[in-house]
Amino acid sequence: MKLLKTLALCAAAAGAFGSCSPAKDTAAADDMAAYLMVFFSDDDHSVHFAVSDDGYTFTALNDNRPVLGGDTLADQRGIRDPHIFRGPDGKFYMALTDLHIYGKRDGIRESQWERPDEYGWGNNRGLVLMKSDDLINWTHNEVRIDSLFPEQYGEIGCAWAPETTYDEEAGKLMVYFTIRARGEHLPGGNMTDKKTRLFYAYADDDFTTLTSAPELLFEYPDSTKQILDADICRMPDGRYFMTYVAQESPGGIKMALSDSIHSGYEYCDEWIDAEPGACEAPNTWKRIGEDKWVVMYDVFSVDPHNFGFVETSDFKTFTPLGHFNDGGPMKATNFSSPKHGAVIQITADEARRLREHFN
């Protein structure tokens, strides 16, 4: 069983934490008045939105029907793992996994997976990149990793859980995600080629494609274990706090710290989540006007699955807030069993516009 510990050793170097948005975000912190959560559902493999005024009670827009249909966005006609980011240009960016794990069940394809079983569970080759000025109208582009970088990733096993941030030093949008570089059962390649690990690449300004081949973001000290689902939060002193999933027994959320957005992350042994069972998909977001940060994650080891939350003011101790609707402070008013979500702060006008459009 995992024990929620005081992260004194690793967090002592973190200093005071600020917003998880870029330092040069065009939307000022004083303008933020609400929260937007994006997530998906296993039932429809599509994007859902939920809005909250206080960061505790979330209400899904569009009566919890999809706001963006996976069947119109992705090559596999289904998406997973949506992540949303407000860029330094004031635009909104979403990155998603191009994957439908129930394609055969839903009559989309004849086989369980897109490719033969030797490529591994949930094998896919692509991501979806989306951009918006107003959170309502979105461009979208399918990005095939194997086609863009055939020499390195022509036999890619999977490309999952993409997230977006901004590398100020490079002056570019950075997309980081989980890769299994080679199928689980394909001949050739070493052990780590067949384990999921964390990589990053740069995107073009229009957010239509990747302009650099994926490079390793972080190496777990035990190469026999898989890691996935990274989430990077910016510190006010310029350093970075990364949460990710380590597939130990059970799998859960760990953290790493670095001075660089894309390298040099220092491993911390303690667990952040408060779950006796497995969880995944961490996302860190700041409470408006407070020195409090929430680490949200997907608890797939409970039935029905749910989101779990811990909160911190010092990044040394993480206080459990429980799950949605389990008697704690976190509430979901009109939806249940969300999957792999992310939260950003939005303005009062943005919240009003979303509610008027989708409701």
Side-chain angles (χ1 to χ4, degrees):
M1 177 181 294
K2 291 173 289 187
L3 297 176
L4 195 66
K5 296 181 179 179
T6 299
L7 303 182
L9 179 63
C10 292
F17 279 59
S19 172
C20 293
S21 299
K24 297 181 180 179
D25 196 335
T26 56
D30 290 345
D31 296 331
M32 297 298 106
Y35 306 82
L36 171 64
M37 176 187 291
V38 300
F39 62 95
F40 83 99
S41 169
D42 268 339
D43 292 337
D44 51 45
H45 276 61
S46 296
V47 180
H48 293 245
F49 284 177
V51 171
S52 172
D53 292 321
D54 63 4
Y56 292 94
T57 299
F58 286 82
T59 298
L61 300 178
N62 205 31
D63 289 332
N64 197 34
R65 296 188 301 271
V67 299
L68 295 162
D71 58 346
T72 65
L73 300 177
D75 183 55
Q76 289 204 25
R77 296 173 61 189
I79 61 87
R80 298 178 71 84
D81 318 325
H83 177 265
I84 191 165
F85 173 73
R86 187 196 294 269
D89 57 0
K91 311 293 185 184
F92 299 94
Y93 298 88
M94 267 203 293
L96 315 94
T97 306
D98 187 335
L99 174 63
H100 199 311
I101 69 169
Y102 300 122
K104 182 177 181 180
R105 181 199 69 182
D106 293 348
I108 294 172
R109 56 179 177 258
E110 294 183 358
S111 59
Q112 181 181 9
W113 305 121
E114 183 181 36
R115 293 172 295 166
D117 288 347
E118 55 259 35
Y119 285 91
W121 188 96
N123 65 73
N124 75 317
R125 295 170 285 189
L127 312 173
V128 178
L129 302 182
M130 305 181 65
K131 184 177 181 178
S132 175
D133 293 326
D134 58 7
L135 294 169
I136 295 170
N137 301 289
W138 294 84
T139 64
H140 80 277
N141 289 270
E142 300 166 15
V143 179
R144 281 276 299 272
I145 307 301
D146 62 330
S147 299
L148 281 175
F149 312 107
E151 290 189 9
Q152 304 100 312
Y153 300 105
E155 294 296 318
I156 190 171
C158 73
W160 295 339
E163 296 200 5
T164 309
T165 188
Y166 184 72
D167 184 339
E168 289 188 351
E169 185 174 336
K172 298 177 182 179
L173 291 164
M174 187 180 105
V175 181
Y176 54 101
F177 51 104
T178 301
I179 287 179
R180 187 169 63 239
R182 192 170 179 82
E184 289 177 348
H185 309 297
L186 289 174
N190 60 35
M191 177 178 61
T192 54
D193 289 334
K194 301 176 185 179
K195 301 286 185 183
T196 57
R197 294 191 291 168
L198 303 176
F199 290 77
Y200 74 96
Y202 291 109
D204 64 330
D205 291 341
D206 292 329
F207 210 56
T208 62
T209 190
L210 299 181
T211 59
S212 66
E215 297 183 36
L216 195 65
L217 176 66
F218 171 66
E219 188 78 79
Y220 198 62
D222 184 348
S223 63
T224 67
K225 299 293 191 297
Q226 299 200 122
I227 57 172
L228 60 156
D229 294 356
D231 179 83
I232 296 173
C233 181
R234 179 71 183 272
M235 304 182 199
D237 65 2
R239 290 182 289 176
Y240 300 90
F241 165 77
M242 182 175 71
T243 52
Y244 64 96
V245 174
Q247 287 195 333
E248 302 277 359
S249 298
I253 313 303
K254 288 191 173 184
M255 64 177 278
L257 303 174
S258 179
D259 292 327
S260 168
I261 198 170
H262 58 65
S263 59
Y265 283 96
E266 296 182 4
Y267 170 77
C268 297
D269 186 57
E270 296 90 348
W271 298 98
I272 287 180
D273 68 272
E275 304 302 320
C279 58
E280 61 185 2
N283 176 244
T284 303
W285 45 276
K286 186 181 184 296
R287 295 203 181 278
I288 297 169
E290 298 183 79
D291 290 330
K292 293 181 179 179
W293 291 260
V294 178
V295 181
M296 177 177 75
Y297 45 83
D298 185 331
V299 188
F300 63 90
S301 58
V302 297
D303 187 16
H305 57 255
N306 204 338
F307 280 177
F309 305 85
V310 295
E311 185 176 77
T312 185
S313 294
D314 58 8
F315 280 75
K316 297 178 182 179
T317 56
F318 292 78
T319 302
L321 300 182
H323 302 165
F324 269 142
N325 301 333
D326 69 351
M330 305 302 297
K331 309 293 183 185
T333 65
N334 64 343
F335 64 99
S336 60
S337 299
K339 292 292 297 177
H340 203 125
V343 174
I344 60 168
Q345 298 176 3
I346 57 176
T347 67
D349 284 344
E350 290 163 349
R352 174 188 51 78
R353 185 167 64 241
L354 284 167
R355 285 170 168 142
E356 289 178 353
H357 180 80
F358 288 110
N359 290 342

